[in-house]
Amino acid sequence: MKAVAAGVPALDPFFDENSGLGKDAQVASRPVRGSLQQGDTPGLYGGSKQPTVCEVDQLKQFLTDPRNEQKAQAWARALTISTDRIPDYLDRLTPVLLRHDTLVKNHDYKKGKAVPYDSLLQAGIAILIDAQGRPAVKCSCGNPLRPFAGDTNRISVKFEDGNQEWKGYDRSSVVAVRPAPRPLEKIVLVDVEDTDRGISRPVGTSGAKDATFDTREKRAVPNLAGASFGQARRSLTDKGLAAGYDSEGLPPDDARVTATDPPAGTELGFGQYVMLSVAGGSGSSDGSTTAPPPTTTAPPQSSTSEPSTPGSGSGSGSPPPSSGPPTSSPPPGTSPPPSSGGPSPPPPSGPPATSAPPAVTTPPPMTTSTSPPPPVTTSAPAETTSSAPPPPQTTGAPVTSEPPTGEPASGQPTESATV
């Protein structure tokens, strides 16, 4: 795992670090409450009042210049797109600044090819992210980025090639980004120079259409006891709060929340963590599967494109889950919890046939004697419910594709170009 410090030139970049493609900032890495966070986590990324430090148009010119055709082909292959899609792909990316030391799959350009390697990017590095919040491009050199796919709990960081261990580096505060469940319309940022100022940035824009809000506005922690982890995370996102956890892996979406820290009703500022204690769940714990399954029910009302206004105390998402587990909307991307209330097959009308009986906890009769079996065997035992198919996954769609924007009530964006 190679460390990449802010402001330090790469040895084998796609484009010269001095070509003006981007500029990093000095940002102190913030602690994280769980090494895997989804791309719509409130406050995951930062912005700035300064003029944009990611020159997307200039990168587009470089990659479409016939003289850079070989680089463009290698760049596109690294991102699994075709070269003719490069302009459109770049137009849909959004510039941000890292607020956490972040794990990615980086790429050098060597001998006409993109050479991948795992790296740790220091907080303050300017990157472009896609519509699901995943790192896509390192701004200063144009290097393509992909999500880190390894185990975040088993990494060894090497500080070399001028990338000295930076002040504030904390192995426990390293984060990797998983895609948001749905494409976002806006990215909600925190100003790295003034953390009291929040920035709501439409996806694919560089700052000219930003709207701002006050991150100090309080929002109450909802009652999440009994909800699934996936539902609890979405409820917190709608409130402008981040979901934290203590386990080594990301809890499965269907794990049940047993408690929150701080408890329900506590008021927090934008982007603050709420620790979720969970129990059970049958999904994967590595957080690698985040795409929701096809849905057959209409999404909840909160999935409209209009996000909530931070500071309102309630958000625009669905209301907090009740104390009991939901019965019709388990979280996306996971199987519902096992049910003990499935229907049992009707008892047979006569003595059992001579064919093999269904699985029971006691041995079946050894002969096909005409004597009728004891009455207790004339009905199917409870275990036969295991043969019943699991309930269909007709889950509801996840909450809105973007986190709360936190715009002020006026909704008027700030016209200053920011990052």
Side-chain angles (χ1 to χ4, degrees):
M1 181 67 58
K2 181 178 179 181
V4 178
V8 176
L11 293 181
D12 298 287
F14 267 73
F15 297 101
D16 188 349
E17 297 270 2
N18 296 319
S19 60
L21 284 176
K23 183 180 179 182
D24 299 334
Q26 294 298 315
V27 177
S29 179
R30 296 180 56 80
V32 69
R33 301 292 185 264
S35 59
L36 294 173
Q37 293 291 327
Q38 292 188 346
D40 60 350
T41 301
L44 179 64
Y45 296 116
S48 172
K49 296 178 183 178
Q50 301 301 320
T52 179
V53 293
C54 289
E55 296 292 344
V56 179
D57 289 340
Q58 188 172 342
L59 178 59
K60 189 188 305 183
Q61 291 174 7
F62 283 0
L63 289 169
T64 56
D65 189 330
R67 294 173 295 181
N68 294 324
E69 182 178 0
Q70 189 173 20
K71 283 186 178 181
Q73 291 176 349
W75 192 91
R77 279 194 296 269
L79 293 168
T80 64
I81 62 173
S82 57
T83 53
D84 61 335
R85 286 189 55 207
I86 289 177
D88 178 64
Y89 179 79
L90 287 172
D91 285 341
R92 291 183 286 112
L93 301 182
T94 308
V96 300
L97 293 167
L98 295 179
R99 297 185 76 213
H100 304 276
D101 295 341
T102 303
L103 295 166
V104 297
K105 178 180 286 186
N106 206 341
H107 295 80
D108 278 337
Y109 182 72
K110 296 180 179 179
K111 299 180 179 180
K113 295 182 179 180
V115 180
Y117 65 97
D118 289 332
S119 66
L120 177 65
L121 303 185
Q122 184 184 7
I125 287 179
I127 66 170
L128 297 171
I129 61 173
D130 67 14
Q132 288 182 284
R134 294 172 293 191
V137 180
K138 186 173 181 289
C139 292
S140 64
C141 57
N143 287 4
L145 305 174
R146 299 296 292 166
F148 175 74
D151 186 344
T152 57
N153 298 293
R154 297 181 180 179
I155 62 171
S156 176
V157 181
K158 294 182 178 181
F159 294 89
E160 55 189 12
D161 299 329
N163 298 281
Q164 301 299 319
E165 182 170 331
W166 46 81
K167 182 180 179 181
Y169 168 69
D170 183 352
R171 170 68 181 75
S172 65
S173 291
V174 169
V175 67
V177 181
R178 294 293 182 258
R182 292 287 180 90
L184 309 175
E185 292 186 4
K186 296 182 180 181
I187 307 294
V188 187
L189 314 172
V190 173
D191 192 326
V192 298
E193 298 170 351
D194 178 7
T195 57
D196 291 342
R197 178 178 180 262
I199 301 171
S200 178
R201 176 168 299 167
V203 167
T205 66
S206 297
K209 298 182 180 180
D210 286 355
T212 61
F213 61 93
D214 190 343
T215 61
R216 296 169 297 180
E217 292 286 344
K218 301 298 182 181
R219 57 229 52 221
V221 176
N223 181 11
L224 301 173
S228 68
F229 179 81
Q231 289 176 320
R233 201 201 72 83
R234 292 193 298 272
S235 294
L236 291 173
T237 298
D238 287 342
K239 289 280 190 178
L241 301 173
Y245 59 93
D246 287 326
S247 57
E248 288 191 355
L250 184 69
D253 274 359
D254 60 350
R256 295 292 156 181
V257 175
T258 58
T260 64
D261 182 17
T266 305
E267 293 190 339
L268 301 174
F270 175 81
Q272 289 189 261
Y273 279 96
V274 176
M275 299 299 291
L276 301 176
S277 298
V278 299
S282 61
S284 169
S285 62
D286 63 3
S288 59
T289 303
T290 55
T295 59
T296 58
T297 60
Q301 190 65 30
S302 61
S303 61
T304 59
S305 59
E306 290 299 325
S308 65
T309 300
S312 63
S314 60
S316 65
S318 56
S322 63
S323 59
T327 59
S328 62
S329 299
T334 62
S335 300
S339 172
S340 60
S344 299
S349 59
T354 58
S355 58
V360 296
T361 57
T362 58
M366 299 301 295
T367 66
T368 57
S369 170
T370 57
S371 299
V376 294
T377 60
T378 60
S379 61
E383 284 76 5
T384 58
T385 58
S386 62
S387 64
Q393 296 189 12
T394 57
T395 64
V399 180
T400 181
S401 59
E402 77 275 2
T405 65
E407 291 100 342
S410 63
Q412 295 302 317
T414 300
E415 296 299 331
S416 61
T418 61
V419 180

